[in-house]
Amino acid sequence: MPKALDPDLRLAPIRVTIGQVPNSRARRIADILAGIARYEFERIRSSPLDAVDPAASRRRIEQQLTVALPALLGLAVLDRCALPDDIRVPAVDAVFDALSHIGCTRAMKPESSARGPFLEVPIVSALQDENTARGMLGMSSVAIAARPDPVMAELAAIRAMLGTKDGPKGPPFSTASKRFIEGRKKTYGDPHHPEIGYLEHRRAIFLAITGDKPIDSYTRSDLQEFVNEIAWLPPNVSKLEDYDVERVHDYIAANKSQEGQGLAAKTIRETYLSRIKTILRETCADAKVPIAFEGRIVIPKRAAPSKSRFAPDQDEFGRIVEKGIASGILSDALLPALGQLTGRRLGLLVFMRRENIMRYNGVWVYRSQSHQLRDGRWEPIPFKTDESLARLIHEGGGFGVASVA
């Protein structure tokens, strides 16, 4: 508020949240909102100041901005309206009627929607999606042919002009990735290995979001769009009883409308993107075709970073050890202490054997094993990396964290 209208500087600044909007569009909307506010400030200044109530003036201007904002969000995308002629005018009228209603409702009852979902997002989408517009008008949906990518269309036109036959030569992703996963089953020696399940699920998600194309035609922008979309995928959605990977677009759209929590950055980078990159790289190498997605892929800012992990504090750790001792089972009593002292993963600790403890350079060390012979079968032990097998130095009361190269 200008000092002339709030001489004691007691009122809070007027803040209006515009939601998730591209930066260039947000600047234009902010400029218009600021212009409306300045106009109102000048209009109030022109009236006798002894008749001005600063708090009431601030409240009135905030209401006007709140009323205007949904319509501004609609105007910001109106120039990209791609609706056919027969529904364009009624759809635009219906969209802006709905946006005006949202603005008025918010202005009259700010407490009910101060932190609620941005209801104008699906309404504004009716300006760019024909079936969304038809649904708003009470009309039935129609089959819409996929719009060609303008960049790919231009590239095809250039190739046709030059008379070259260069282009994607690799097999479709659906075929190549299936062959890749079959090969992994032979590598792991177990068709039910957890990694096989991860690969099959990530493959299905990638196909559902990006579509099936030749493996050498997926560009960096395709992978960027993939991570942008899965950043909206609700965590642990695949563990729901009625989960269906074919409905991935529904899960993402529902989460977008609520602005809910999505996948974490580490999950996107290491369990989705890295697996898709591996499939594409190896299948392109097998097919002797070039990789098309080189370049930096940015993890969306909305994805939560990894949280720092802390060891249990002394009191909590003491209670864990007490319960282990009370069980009367030696492994339950020892494993918590071993985990605390060594930092080793549980999968390695449970396979510790007396014969793996040895003297080395005058000190006791424990040498982790990678495989074991069990019931006549040679089985791998679940170590994560080769570094996990480094030897541990025994420091009197337990195994220390130092390792011997």
Side-chain angles (χ1 to χ4, degrees):
M1 291 286 288
K3 188 174 181 181
L5 302 181
D6 182 22
D8 297 330
L9 301 178
R10 292 181 302 172
L11 299 178
I14 299 175
R15 301 182 187 275
V16 180
T17 302
I18 65 175
Q20 291 187 333
V21 179
N23 194 33
S24 58
R25 202 180 307 166
R27 286 200 191 99
R28 293 197 298 270
I29 294 173
D31 288 342
I32 296 171
L33 290 173
I36 295 173
R38 290 191 184 100
Y39 173 80
E40 291 299 323
F41 290 149
E42 293 301 324
R43 193 175 62 82
I44 294 172
R45 277 200 188 109
S46 65
S47 60
L49 290 182
D50 56 357
V52 173
D53 181 348
S57 299
R58 180 195 179 283
R59 188 162 51 251
R60 185 169 68 251
I61 295 172
E62 185 175 24
Q63 287 178 339
Q64 290 175 340
L65 299 180
T66 302
V67 170
L69 178 59
L72 292 177
L73 293 172
L75 288 171
V77 300
L78 188 57
D79 60 337
R80 288 185 295 281
C81 180
L83 301 179
D85 294 339
D86 59 328
I87 66 169
R88 181 182 294 116
V89 173
V92 169
D93 289 344
V95 164
F96 281 94
D97 285 346
L99 293 174
S100 298
H101 177 72
I102 290 174
C104 292
T105 302
R106 255 187 215 141
M108 298 303 294
K109 299 179 180 179
E111 70 284 350
S112 64
S113 57
R115 295 188 178 275
F118 282 86
L119 301 176
E120 54 267 42
V121 172
I123 294 175
V124 168
S125 67
L127 295 172
Q128 298 175 296
D129 182 77
E130 181 178 349
N131 280 329
T132 302
R134 287 180 176 275
M136 177 175 287
L137 297 173
M139 302 168 65
S140 58
S141 300
V142 296
I144 301 175
R147 294 191 183 95
D149 186 330
V151 176
M152 295 303 294
E154 183 177 353
L155 181 60
I158 293 173
R159 285 173 176 161
M161 181 178 64
L162 296 176
T164 177
K165 297 182 179 179
D166 290 342
K169 299 178 181 179
F173 180 83
S174 57
T175 303
S177 58
K178 185 176 181 180
R179 190 182 306 133
F180 170 86
I181 294 174
E182 290 301 320
R184 278 292 192 266
K185 290 179 181 178
K186 295 179 181 178
T187 301
Y188 288 114
D190 178 9
H192 304 294
H193 191 282
E195 178 62 17
I196 301 301
Y198 290 138
L199 287 170
E200 289 176 338
H201 179 256
R202 276 38 170 186
R203 168 186 182 268
I205 293 288
F206 185 73
L207 283 170
I209 291 177
T210 313
D212 195 11
K213 300 193 294 186
I215 53 176
D216 52 334
S217 68
Y218 289 102
T219 63
R220 187 207 65 82
S221 61
D222 289 324
L223 295 187
Q224 184 65 63
E225 179 63 20
F226 172 64
V227 299
N228 289 348
E229 286 297 296
I230 62 173
W232 286 100
L233 196 63
N236 300 318
V237 67
S238 60
K239 296 180 181 179
L240 299 175
E241 291 184 4
D242 60 345
Y243 173 73
D244 181 1
V245 73
E246 298 297 331
R247 296 174 54 206
V248 63
H249 288 290
D250 296 334
Y251 301 133
I252 290 174
N255 202 34
K256 280 184 178 179
S257 66
Q258 299 174 1
E259 295 193 349
Q261 179 185 1
L263 297 180
K266 183 180 177 68
T267 301
I268 295 172
R269 183 184 303 106
E270 297 183 9
T271 73
Y272 280 84
L273 181 59
S274 65
R275 286 185 171 95
I276 295 302
K277 279 185 170 182
T278 298
I279 293 175
L280 287 173
R281 285 196 177 104
E282 296 198 17
T283 54
C284 283
D286 292 342
K288 295 181 173 57
V289 294
I291 298 170
F293 63 84
E294 292 300 334
R296 184 182 176 214
I297 298 165
V298 181
I299 303 302
K301 299 299 183 184
R302 78 177 318 273
S306 300
K307 295 181 180 179
S308 300
R309 297 183 180 273
F310 296 92
D313 67 15
Q314 295 179 0
D315 294 337
E316 183 180 355
F317 182 69
R319 289 193 294 270
I320 295 173
V321 173
E322 287 176 3
K323 289 187 176 181
I325 295 173
S327 71
I329 300 173
L330 183 60
S331 60
D332 288 358
L334 291 179
L335 282 176
L338 285 171
Q340 178 82 346
L341 291 170
T342 68
R344 276 298 194 262
R345 291 176 174 269
L346 186 63
L348 281 176
L349 294 180
V350 296
F351 285 97
M352 289 184 70
R353 298 293 183 268
R354 171 62 184 85
E355 56 267 26
N356 299 126
I357 300 175
M358 56 182 289
R359 294 284 290 182
Y360 183 79
N361 288 337
V363 297
W364 288 102
V365 300
Y366 172 74
R367 182 176 60 185
S368 301
Q369 59 191 71
S370 63
H371 292 69
Q372 70 168 2
L373 192 63
R374 181 179 181 184
D375 298 331
R377 295 180 57 194
W378 186 243
E379 298 178 342
I381 286 173
F383 64 95
K384 186 174 183 182
T385 62
D386 292 343
E387 287 74 14
S388 303
L389 303 178
R391 286 164 284 187
L392 300 176
I393 299 174
H394 183 273
E395 297 286 3
F399 288 99
V401 296
S403 62
V404 180

